[in-house]
Amino acid sequence: MRALVTGGSAGLGRALCDALLDDGFDVISVDREAPSQKTEAKHIACDLSDRMTVDNLLDKLEADEAFDVVIFNAGISATGKFEDIEPEDHLRVFETNASAPMVCCAGLIKAGKIAEEGHIVFVASLSHFTGYPGASSYAASKDALAIYAKSILKPLKNKHKISVTTAFPGPLKTEHAARHAPSEADQERRMQPEEAARLILADMRKRKAKSLPGGTTALLAMAGQLAPKPLTFAMKQIIYKKLDRTVAD
Amino acid sequence: MIRRKILITGGTTGIGLALANRLSVRHDVIVTGSRAHEDITEAFSPNLVYVRASQSDPARAVKTIAQQLLKHEWPRLDNVVLNAGVGFAVEDGLDEVAKMRRTLDINVSSTMLIARAMYPWLSKTKGTLTIIGSVAHKGHKRFPSYAASKGALNGLARSLRSEWAGEVAVQVLHPGPVKTGMHEKAGLNPGWVSEFFIRTEPMARMIEYSMSSRRSPITLSWSRYIGGGSITGRRL
């Protein structure tokens, strides 16, 4: 059994790699940085914001064996006032979070590199339900991914028997999330990436279309669908008004 | 009535052109498009100022638009309508890589960067930024990348509206199918269903009325049309 995880060097990606390794998968991790700890996963260095590099990656993967599980998890962010964030940073966020996974997904399936009965997971964000003032390009990129996943779900299921699961994790206890949160934000209440990885993989195995890891996440997603405007207003009060700096990955 | 300064992207065909022609009767309108001026065969009002700025290169499109606004000595804008967009139909949920990137560049990346660049122009007048989405923003199996791009615009508008509240009114409008030839260009023949598509002129009226309401999000569908959405509303 072979698995591909993008952004597998740290945070949720690393937790997903570890869980898959425990289940006996051969894991390939695609990340611009080398893994932060020793791991059995094979690392391919690739900056997903660079189209040429993504094309090379696809060529490489298309020459290799098919995957049973493919998880598009890699994501970067740019937080601050939309007009203060550099245009290149907005573009890099959208390329990495939306264009690259969409292109790689279509490319791998066309080349027959996702096995029949296989699984695809797209890691979107809880911001799909709540909005995210202070990271508008990030929110846009994650919405693109969620809607892409929803659009291809039926065609892939009917034609290739491949299941598509979209995960909407809330804030996790990772270095990346801490860097983009207001400095005064409480890190302790966040979910551990290992816990989120376990829940997402369980939903993937059940071939669920949506994965909302954790009770709070599910509750917030529901609230965001019932009352989208108050939720976005709350996000503005909790995050945007407290952002004290501009941060881009 | 104030004579407004208005920028409309993708204003050489379809609903962008219908809106531009309509608004140019009472306002000053600059439209952008990807074609050379002499290649525009549609009825193009002589009041319109044309700027050629293809959105397939986001950074260049932004630069050209900003330069042209300065050249025409427009230091402020009352309305910006980010309307330019393309889409491609697919059979089995799988787009071609080049077409996916083209769709996302034109529909999302350029829209995002132009919105950002227009902030100083719009904030001077506490103006309105109107982003044209689509009813496909919730997902569409025949147009996966197009739907994703419109989903992105919906999310962008939602968060940006909150960020810019009190400075610039950001709104997203989701038109239903319109008789513009976009479906044929996208590689899909809608057949008899197209009899029920809304014509460009009433759609342009619905857009104008939505712009003056400054609300968001607004779905400009058949049911809104039947309910009188194209004949009741406030003009800009």
Side-chain angles (χ1 to χ4, degrees), chain A residues 32-47:
Chain A
R32 62 180 176 181
E33 281 158 36
S36 49
Q37 287 171 12
K38 198 172 177 306
T39 170
E40 296 287 306
K42 190 180 157 221
H43 173 242
I44 298 179
C46 176
D47 179 355

Side-chain angles (χ1 to χ4, degrees), chain A residues 51 55 82-83 85 102 110 129-130 132-134 136 140 143-144 147-148 150-152 155 159 228-229 232 236, chain B residues 92-93 95-96 100-101 104-105 108 116 137-141 147-148 152 155 158-160 162-164 216:
Chain A
R51 287 185 182 177
D55 291 341
F82 184 73
E83 65 276 20
I85 296 168
M102 287 166 60
K110 276 192 180 172
F129 298 103
T130 63
Y132 194 170
S136 293
D143 286 351
I147 297 303
Y148 181 70
K150 196 174 162 192
S151 302
I152 62 171
K159 195 148 182 244
K229 286 176 187 181
T232 309
K236 183 175 185 179
Chain B
D92 49 0
D95 305 75
E96 283 167 39
M100 280 176 118
R101 284 179 173 154
L104 296 174
D105 282 345
V108 189
R116 181 190 171 280
H137 77 276
K138 290 180 177 174
H140 199 299
K141 63 177 182 182
R158 182 183 184 180
S159 295
L160 202 54
S162 169
E163 283 195 30
W164 287 358
S216 181

Side-chain angles (χ1 to χ4, degrees), chain A residues 190-205:
Chain A
R190 298 179 172 194
M191 185 183 266
Q192 292 289 349
E194 291 74 19
E195 174 70 0
R198 191 179 63 77
L199 294 168
I200 291 168
L201 290 176
D203 287 332
M204 177 195 85
R205 282 189 202 97

Side-chain angles (χ1 to χ4, degrees), chain A:
Chain A
M1 301 280 271
R2 278 164 52 85
L4 178 74
V5 179
T6 67
S9 289
L12 177 62
R14 189 178 74 203
L16 288 163
C17 287
D18 289 347
L20 289 164
L21 287 166
D22 284 347
D23 286 349
F25 277 88
D26 291 327
V27 180
I28 293 182
S29 159
V30 174
D31 201 302
R32 62 180 176 181
E33 281 158 36
S36 49
Q37 287 171 12
K38 198 172 177 306
T39 170
E40 296 287 306
K42 190 180 157 221
H43 173 242
I44 298 179
C46 176
D47 179 355
L48 295 172
S49 71
D50 180 338
R51 287 185 182 177
M52 289 250 291
T53 322
V54 170
D55 291 341
N56 291 340
L57 172 74
L58 261 181
D59 287 343
K60 199 181 216 170
L61 295 176
E62 284 170 6
D64 207 342
E65 282 170 64
F67 293 100
D68 304 285
V69 169
V70 176
I71 305 184
F72 295 105
N73 156 79
I76 60 171
S77 191
T79 39
K81 291 183 173 172
F82 184 73
E83 65 276 20
D84 287 348
I85 296 168
E86 293 300 322
E88 303 77 52
D89 291 328
H90 284 310
L91 288 182
R92 196 171 318 118
V93 167
F94 198 77
E95 280 298 316
T96 307
N97 297 6
S99 309
M102 287 166 60
V103 162
C104 289
C105 177
L108 284 174
I109 295 171
K110 276 192 180 172
K113 293 302 169 185
I114 302 184
E116 208 162 85
E117 310 272 338
H119 302 273
I120 301 173
V121 178
F122 291 99
V123 179
S125 163
L126 183 58
S127 71
H128 181 60
F129 298 103
T130 63
Y132 194 170
S136 293
S137 52
Y138 174 88
S141 71
K142 292 299 189 178
D143 286 351
L145 200 57
I147 297 303
Y148 181 70
K150 196 174 162 192
S151 302
I152 62 171
L153 188 124
K154 276 198 181 132
L156 293 200
K157 186 177 162 192
N158 296 342
K159 195 148 182 244
H160 305 274
K161 297 194 180 71
I162 297 170
S163 70
V164 178
T165 304
T166 313
F168 301 92
L172 300 177
K173 209 172 167 181
T174 61
E175 278 175 36
H176 175 263
R179 194 163 66 244
H180 286 283
S183 5
E184 56 182 279
D186 181 7
Q187 314 284 329
E188 285 314 304
R189 279 157 54 202
R190 298 179 172 194
M191 185 183 266
Q192 292 289 349
E194 291 74 19
E195 174 70 0
R198 191 179 63 77
L199 294 168
I200 291 168
L201 290 176
D203 287 332
M204 177 195 85
R205 282 189 202 97
K206 286 183 210 149
R207 299 186 181 270
K208 279 196 187 176
K210 285 182 190 169
S211 173
L212 290 155
T216 317
T217 309
L219 211 65
L220 283 169
M222 199 197 277
Q225 279 167 299
L226 293 173
K229 286 176 187 181
L231 250 279
T232 309
F233 181 76
M235 286 290 281
K236 183 175 185 179
Q237 304 302 318
I238 299 165
I239 301 173
Y240 186 65
K241 293 227 162 135
K242 293 183 181 164
L243 279 177
D244 34 23
R245 60 202 191 281
T246 301
V247 184
D249 293 330

